[in-house]
Amino acid sequence: MPFTVSEAVVRRTEHWFVRRGTPTMIEGYGFVDHVLPRMLPSLVFAALASLAWLVPLRSAGSQAWFLLGGVAVTTLAVWGIVTAFVRRLPRFSRTTAVAVLVAYAAMPVAVPLLQLAVDGAVTAPGGRVVGLLGFVIFFAAVFVATLLGTTYGFGTLLRRAVRHSVFDLRNSVHLLGRALPALLFVTLFLFFTGELWQAMNHLAWWRVLLVVVLFGAITVLAAAARLREEIGRVERDLSLPTLSAACRGTPLDGVPVEHLAPDGQLPALPLTARQERNLLLTLASRQLVQAAVVGLALFTFFITLGLLVVTPETAEQWIGEKPQTSVLLPELPVAMLRNATLLAGFGSMYFAVTSMTDADHRQQFFAPIIDEIERILTVHTVYVVLRETAPAPPAGGDSR
């Protein structure tokens, strides 16, 4: 008799994927059944905030800040209620989904009309540049951002990244003690290059930030290439010990995997492009957080080193003119701040790429991230096999 599992176990496993920021691992993952219900709290938040903030603020006068506080509290309270309500709802019917979409699509018309009725004038987002089209652009941008964030679990990935960043900061002595010596060997002499100080003295901040973003994009591309190799390795190791170890501590804990894989091995399951992108975001978010911790330490080091070594006379000699100074920190040359930012970004990228390629660094910094992705992939394989044996859910059953 084949082993079967309850529908409740399957649903709890799907919740497990959502809590780890990989909702695309749910089989049959679709817009109406899974994405739109989880988007509803954010859409309600945007709609209420727009109605309560854009409309009466202009007529509030000196009471505007009190109004802002009331709007914030009320909107957050309604958002929490809707979130709790949605978690208990069955999957949306087509009629409910259409009603939600139509109601949200009406917001670019309802908000300016209500504002006109209350204030006697319309203040569109973006001002006169785009006019009333600004409402359409605003609500469309919110919808697209919410759609992407919900589809790939951006919110959960962000929360997990913050938790891991706190863990990394608590263990920063170990992290920085391993990473900083090699990074300083690569970047230290660049800090004392006169040509670099000359360039940074006149380079706009937005250009410096674009260079840092470029470093981050290179890190993501390197992570994507490495992730494909790791997925192939995981799919080749789906033996019984691996399956049992991965399911431990999950809703599938205790499932007799030997009944699922009588030959001692489960077949590899191909991933969709959306699932691969979701795993890439998981890997990239962790890598970028680790790199940010290292980058912050590098930035602090170079600022401290500059204050100790680079006198105003030396900076002026390197730059060839009196250096620009920061408005907030007049004692710091702007070139020093931009130098530290640029070298911190470069060092962070170097650390992230090295942690994926160097054997020693990989064991310390990259292996724990890959272990988590391996576990998600292995649990996903067991979940798919079990889902095929689970009884069909009752009509109107919970899809999340």
Side-chain angles (χ1 to χ4, degrees):
M1 180 177 178
F3 175 78
T4 59
V5 70
S6 67
E7 176 69 16
V9 172
V10 173
R11 295 308 175 203
R12 287 199 299 270
T13 306
E14 293 176 351
H15 280 290
W16 186 85
F17 289 133
V18 172
R19 290 195 302 270
R20 271 148 189 80
T22 54
T24 58
M25 291 295 163
I26 299 174
E27 286 296 295
Y29 190 67
F31 175 74
V32 173
D33 293 337
H34 301 94
V35 179
L36 184 58
R38 291 170 48 225
M39 288 176 61
L40 185 60
S42 297
L43 297 181
V44 169
F45 179 88
L48 288 179
S50 300
L51 289 172
W53 169 255
L54 291 177
V55 173
L57 181 62
R58 184 175 177 180
S59 58
S62 60
Q63 305 298 320
W65 289 108
F66 294 100
L67 175 63
L68 176 60
V71 167
V73 172
T74 303
T75 304
L76 288 175
V78 174
W79 175 79
I81 294 172
V82 174
T83 300
F85 178 65
V86 166
R87 288 176 179 173
R88 301 176 182 275
L89 272 178
R91 68 178 60 186
F92 282 0
S93 65
R94 299 291 174 179
T95 304
T96 303
V98 171
V100 170
L101 293 176
V102 169
Y104 186 81
M107 294 306 299
V109 178
V111 170
L113 288 179
L114 186 57
Q115 189 179 40
L116 182 63
V118 174
D119 286 343
V122 177
T123 305
R128 298 180 179 179
V129 178
V130 292
L132 295 178
L133 188 61
F135 288 100
V136 177
I137 296 174
F138 170 76
F139 284 103
V142 169
F143 186 86
V144 172
T146 305
L147 174 62
L148 292 176
T150 305
T151 300
Y152 294 104
F154 284 168
T156 302
L157 290 178
L158 179 60
R159 290 193 296 270
R160 290 176 64 83
V162 170
R163 286 200 297 268
H164 284 296
S165 68
V166 173
F167 176 81
D168 287 338
L169 288 174
R170 289 177 180 174
N171 295 274
S172 58
V173 174
H174 171 73
L175 174 65
L176 300 178
R178 300 280 300 185
L180 280 183
L183 295 177
L184 292 177
F185 179 78
V186 174
T187 58
L188 182 60
F189 294 104
L190 293 175
F191 185 74
F192 297 102
T193 304
E195 290 80 2
L196 186 60
W197 280 72
Q198 294 175 17
M200 292 299 105
N201 190 56
H202 297 285
L203 194 64
W205 271 112
W206 67 270
R207 292 181 182 273
V208 177
L209 295 178
L210 282 181
V211 174
V212 174
V213 171
L214 178 62
F215 290 151
I218 294 174
T219 301
V220 173
L221 291 176
R226 195 69 186 182
L227 177 63
R228 289 183 176 88
E229 298 178 8
E230 297 297 336
I231 289 177
R233 182 176 64 82
V234 173
E235 290 179 343
R236 288 191 295 269
D237 184 16
L238 294 173
S239 58
L240 290 180
T242 302
L243 299 175
S244 299
C247 293
R248 194 171 298 119
T250 74
L252 300 180
D253 194 357
V255 170
V257 293
E258 62 274 7
H259 291 283
L260 305 177
D263 298 330
Q265 182 89 12
L266 281 179
L269 297 177
L271 297 176
T272 65
R274 184 164 59 180
Q275 289 172 335
E276 289 189 0
R277 287 193 295 269
N278 202 170
L279 292 178
L280 172 59
L281 289 172
T282 304
L283 175 60
S285 63
R286 290 287 302 276
Q287 283 292 93
L288 291 175
V289 165
Q290 279 191 347
V293 173
V294 175
L296 180 61
L298 278 174
F299 178 82
T300 304
F301 172 83
F302 282 122
I303 292 297
T304 305
L305 180 66
L307 290 174
L308 293 175
V309 176
V310 183
T311 63
E313 293 77 15
T314 303
E316 184 174 351
Q317 183 179 3
W318 285 349
I319 296 172
E321 60 182 286
K322 188 174 180 62
Q324 302 178 24
T325 56
S326 172
V327 176
L328 298 178
L329 300 171
E331 66 277 7
L332 287 180
V334 173
M336 183 189 298
L337 293 172
R338 292 169 180 164
N339 255 336
T341 303
L342 186 68
L343 294 178
F346 173 78
S348 300
M349 179 196 67
Y350 181 83
F351 162 76
V353 174
T354 303
S355 70
M356 292 183 279
T357 55
D358 181 78
D360 190 29
H361 281 72
R362 173 188 169 88
Q363 182 63 31
Q364 294 290 329
F365 306 117
F366 191 64
I369 307 174
I370 289 299
D371 289 343
E372 182 176 345
I373 292 179
E374 288 180 357
R375 188 187 188 197
I376 292 173
L377 286 171
T378 307
V379 172
H380 173 255
T381 302
V382 178
Y383 154 77
V384 171
V385 176
L386 284 175
R387 191 174 182 274
E388 297 175 352
T389 67
D398 187 6
S399 66
R400 293 169 301 286

